Amino acid sequence: MSFEWPWQYNFPPFFTLQPNVDTRQKQLAAWCSLALSYCRHHKLYTLDVMEAQESPMFNNKKIERKLSMEAIQVVFEELRKKGNLEWLDKNKSRCLVMWRRPEEWGKLIYQWVSKNGMVNSVFTLYELSNGDDTEGEGMAPF
Amino acid sequence: MDRFSWSNGLLEINETLVIQQRGVRLYDGDDKAKMDLGITLLSTHRLIWRDIKNHECCIAMPLSQIIFFEEQAAGIGKSAKIVIHLHPVPANKEPGPYQYSKYSYIKLSFKEHGQIEFYRRLTEEMTKKRWENTPVSQPIPTGTGSQAGKTRAVGIVGIERKIEEKRKETDKNISEVMGKNKESNVDIKSSCYGMMALTEVYCLVNRARGMELLSPEDLVNACKMFESLKLPLRLRVFDSGVMVVQLQSHSEEEMIASALDNVSEKGSLTAEEFAKLLGLSVLLSKERLLLAEKMGHLCRDDSVEGLRFYPNLF
């Protein structure tokens, strides 16, 4: 299934960091949502900032618009504040993208474990992610 | 309240006091006047009011200004009043506490009663019209009342001298005129729903100046300077050619609406394209687009192709 772009992706102003504060808030919310869905769809867990600028996620070749480095940093900072992103280095060149936050993962795992009546038993990560029971439960290796 | 002139409160020769009443509050139309409680005096010639605490604050109006008057009964929490309807301001009226009023009537509110007797005496004087028989010399203008002691001057020469003394204090510069009339501008703002025809402004301004009147051309040129003088007023010309002075906030709303309409119609606009559409300078049209953006109606697309504005679809 190909990735479905939100309407903002084809709206040129989407790629300009808006000076009006209220407008900017809505813009950033849309960018965060887009970044997370894109990463989830393509199973991306880490991002390199330089590469990201050229990836279709931040660069719409059709309308010839892309987010500036400054704007990308602003979007990443928003994601970090929301708990969806962690920097892997001091220079902020690589980051971990958690399109599911750790808490959300925890909840998912617990729900699965309860469903299969396995609470209070011990598991390895391998068993969790590759076991027969877990196929298709979204437990991709992480 | 703009029919009153400053007065020293002294009666003229041939003028007699008829009745006076304490505890009277003045109303400009339906609005409380800016004065506190005072004493109102009725003479054979004038209606005079003096502040109880500050005796120098004293104003007067000729009885000939009165068209008719009526009683307004007291109510719960409301004192009895006499409503006095007035002729328009005469051209030679001396300055007073109000340069302009939207009302053509005043009210006397009798906080300490006395309205029945006052009404009776006023009726008598307005019937007898004694001032017509024994005209007094021109009322002496005393500015804020703090110039008491100046030599009395009668006749046209005296009037001219008084006006010229005042004029000396004001600069002939047009912007000074506008500055001097800031107060009347403020009154305009609060009383004319934000818009006034230029012809009315012309009358107000020249009435305030008294001498060395502004020509119509001078006035129009002065109005064009509103923005650079940082006054919150704008000159607007309708298609018919009618000119009005209106509040800046009104103008802004219109500019924002027009920016949004034009941008929506064309999908997007640069400042240059907008300028061409409106026949305005690029600078002014950019200001309008920026204003609309600030208000959240437009958003921007800044790229190598230039700065373009879109309707804010976010």
Side-chain angles (χ1 to χ4, degrees), chain A residues 20-36:
Chain A
N20 179 309
V21 169
D22 298 320
T23 312
R24 179 184 293 208
Q25 260 175 359
K26 295 186 197 154
Q27 178 191 27
L28 287 177
W31 268 116
C32 288
S33 171
L34 191 164
L36 291 177

Side-chain angles (χ1 to χ4, degrees), chain B residues 134-147:
Chain B
T134 55
V136 297
S137 50
Q138 285 286 345
I140 304 303
T142 51
T144 58
S146 59
Q147 298 168 43

Side-chain angles (χ1 to χ4, degrees), chain A residues 28-64:
Chain A
L28 287 177
W31 268 116
C32 288
S33 171
L34 191 164
L36 291 177
S37 334
Y38 186 87
C39 287
R40 174 199 253 124
H41 188 270
H42 290 99
K43 304 270 192 286
L44 301 174
Y45 300 96
T46 61
L47 285 180
D48 177 289
V49 176
M50 298 300 284
E51 283 172 15
Q53 201 190 15
E54 296 307 318
S55 108
M57 180 167 59
F58 292 132
N59 186 343
N60 184 343
K61 292 219 161 77
K62 194 172 85 170
I63 62 170
E64 293 175 323

Side-chain angles (χ1 to χ4, degrees), chain B residues 72-124:
Chain B
Q72 193 177 315
I76 298 171
K78 289 187 193 182
S79 311
K81 298 179 178 63
I82 295 178
V83 184
I84 306 179
H85 296 264
L86 304 162
H87 286 293
V89 187
N92 62 351
K93 195 211 81 155
E94 296 292 336
Y98 281 68
Q99 283 192 39
Y100 171 78
S101 167
K102 66 179 175 181
Y103 296 104
S104 59
Y105 60 98
I106 60 166
K107 294 190 199 182
L108 307 179
S109 177
F110 291 81
K111 300 287 178 195
E112 295 177 25
H113 307 291
Q115 73 280 359
I116 299 175
E117 189 61 18
F118 201 92
Y119 183 85
R120 191 174 77 75
R121 296 305 199 101
L122 185 58
T123 310
E124 235 175 57

